[in-house]
Amino acid sequence: MYTKTLNLSIILALIVVILGAYARLADAGLGCPDWPGCYGQLLVPDVVSSEYERPLDIAKAWKEMVHRYAASTLGLAIIVIFIFAALGKTERAQSIRVPAALLLLVGFQGALGMWTVTELVHPGIVTMHLLGGFSTTTLIFWLLLNQRKPIQLNQDISKRDKIILVVVTVLLAFQIFLGGWTSTNYAALSCGEYFPSCLDQMWPDNMDFENAFYWGPLGIDYEFGVLENPARSAIQMVHRVGALVITGALIGLAFAYKNYTMLRNNIFIILLLLSIQVGLGIINVVMSLPMFAAIMHNAVALGLLLSLISLTHKVFKNHKTA
């Protein structure tokens, strides 16, 4: 039951991340101006009282509430995971520390979901909420990998290559943050439909890097963004530079691991997802952020992270055969 719950939870986590991206891209984050209900109801109402300043948009409200329902179901599943681990009801030995960290994380994630609404989609809070969703999925995936039969590697992994893997994973996590910051500040289209240039310039001279990563005050409405376009274009260009860096880093990782025969499938998946991700990033710019491509850009970023986590698990949790 523990492993089955983990399998269900990883599917739920993926759904929650995708629904979260959809709600964000559809500008539905404030579809319900209160939390955890919607205009004081557990279901989206047909009419609302005059005490709410924000008018009801039923389509946006349902997008937000479906996301909340899925996230709540995932939270319940994570509680069950923790209980199973605490009672020792796991197929393979599992420390209580990771399930406990997962439980604490999902509690904090719930608080971030609430603050996303009450603080009117503050970019910093929404970005942390996105990173929390990725982190939750990663921890569930790690627990699931722990329950699989260990793979006996037939080659030693050098210390240098282990360090490379850790560094690349950290770089990818930072690039995911940059992507979240770009999205939550509505900066994805700040360079227009130009690629690789920005506003028809390779490096616009009016970009405002000073305010690009400004943590604005709480209590004001951040829907559709508050930054001027020079700051938004600076965010977009930093994200593009980050994309170049992580692309080079992942290709370098592939070269470093090319001689480890038992890890070639992992490297192939990483390079395949990287190719898809680069293509989606270009499509998002030149086609002005089509919804499907934008959601998939978010989902493939998570897939890339999980593929690196899978490789990390093999490298650090398995042992060379005698």
Side-chain angles (χ1 to χ4, degrees):
M1 286 301 297
Y2 177 74
T3 303
K4 289 180 179 178
T5 306
L6 286 172
N7 281 311
L8 173 63
S9 297
I10 194 70
I11 294 171
L12 280 171
L14 293 172
I15 291 172
V16 169
V17 168
I18 291 172
L19 288 175
Y22 178 54
R24 185 171 66 255
L25 290 163
D27 301 316
L30 296 178
C32 296
D34 50 345
W35 192 93
C38 188
Y39 291 93
Q41 306 293 322
L42 289 177
L43 298 175
V44 177
D46 294 323
V47 294
V48 297
S49 66
S50 58
E51 66 179 284
Y52 294 99
E53 296 180 2
R54 185 174 292 271
L56 172 64
D57 184 321
I58 292 180
K60 288 185 177 182
W62 270 114
K63 289 169 187 174
E64 173 62 13
M65 286 307 292
V66 168
H67 175 230
R68 293 186 193 181
Y69 297 146
S72 299
T73 304
L74 175 61
L76 292 174
I78 288 172
I79 292 173
V80 173
I81 289 171
F82 175 77
I83 293 173
F84 277 137
L87 296 177
K89 304 294 185 179
T90 62
E91 295 179 30
R92 297 184 183 275
Q94 171 61 58
S95 166
I96 192 62
R97 287 177 294 181
V98 178
L102 177 61
L103 184 63
L104 291 174
L105 176 60
V106 80
F108 183 56
Q109 185 72 343
L112 288 172
M114 176 185 69
W115 294 330
T116 291
V117 175
T118 59
E119 298 301 336
L120 304 174
V121 291
H122 185 287
I125 294 173
V126 178
T127 301
M128 286 194 295
H129 193 45
L130 180 148
L131 294 177
F134 276 49
S135 300
T136 299
T137 309
T138 298
L139 286 182
I140 295 171
F141 188 56
W142 188 267
L143 289 173
L144 188 57
L145 291 174
N146 284 346
Q147 293 304 302
R148 294 180 178 176
K149 184 178 179 180
I151 297 174
Q152 298 298 315
L153 301 179
N154 57 6
Q155 295 168 282
D156 280 321
I157 309 297
S158 70
K159 182 178 180 180
R160 185 206 67 169
D161 291 341
K162 289 181 178 180
I163 292 173
I164 289 174
L165 176 56
V166 172
V167 170
V168 172
T169 303
V170 172
L171 286 174
L172 179 61
F174 185 68
Q175 177 63 5
I176 290 170
F177 159 74
L178 290 177
W181 191 253
T182 301
S183 176
T184 56
N185 280 281
Y186 301 86
L189 300 178
S190 59
C191 287
E193 298 177 359
Y194 298 95
F195 184 88
S197 63
C198 178
L199 299 174
D200 208 20
Q201 300 178 61
M202 290 307 298
W203 192 262
D205 53 14
N206 68 334
M207 290 188 292
D208 181 7
F209 290 96
E210 182 177 351
N211 292 309
F213 295 93
Y214 173 65
W215 182 283
L218 301 176
I220 66 173
D221 192 343
Y222 286 92
E223 191 173 29
F224 306 118
V226 298
L227 297 178
E228 299 296 330
N229 199 67
R232 298 192 200 198
S233 59
I235 294 172
Q236 171 65 205
M237 290 304 288
V238 170
H239 182 50
R240 291 189 188 183
V241 171
L244 285 174
V245 171
I246 191 59
T247 297
L250 288 168
I251 292 173
L253 175 72
F255 274 105
Y257 278 74
K258 68 181 186 300
N259 293 324
Y260 298 118
T261 56
M262 295 194 69
L263 301 176
R264 285 179 180 171
N265 286 342
N266 294 81
I267 296 300
F268 173 77
I269 292 172
I270 290 170
L271 292 178
L272 176 62
L273 291 174
L274 174 63
S275 301
I276 295 172
Q277 186 70 339
V278 171
L280 287 170
I282 295 172
I283 289 171
N284 281 331
V285 173
V286 300
M287 296 184 67
S288 299
L289 213 65
M291 181 64 75
F292 179 75
I295 293 172
M296 288 305 299
H297 195 53
N298 194 84
V300 175
L302 178 57
L304 259 176
L305 178 61
L306 295 182
S307 67
L308 281 179
I309 294 301
S310 178
L311 179 59
T312 300
H313 194 276
K314 285 185 178 180
V315 168
F316 287 93
K317 297 284 285 186
N318 298 291
H319 302 284
K320 179 180 179 293
T321 54

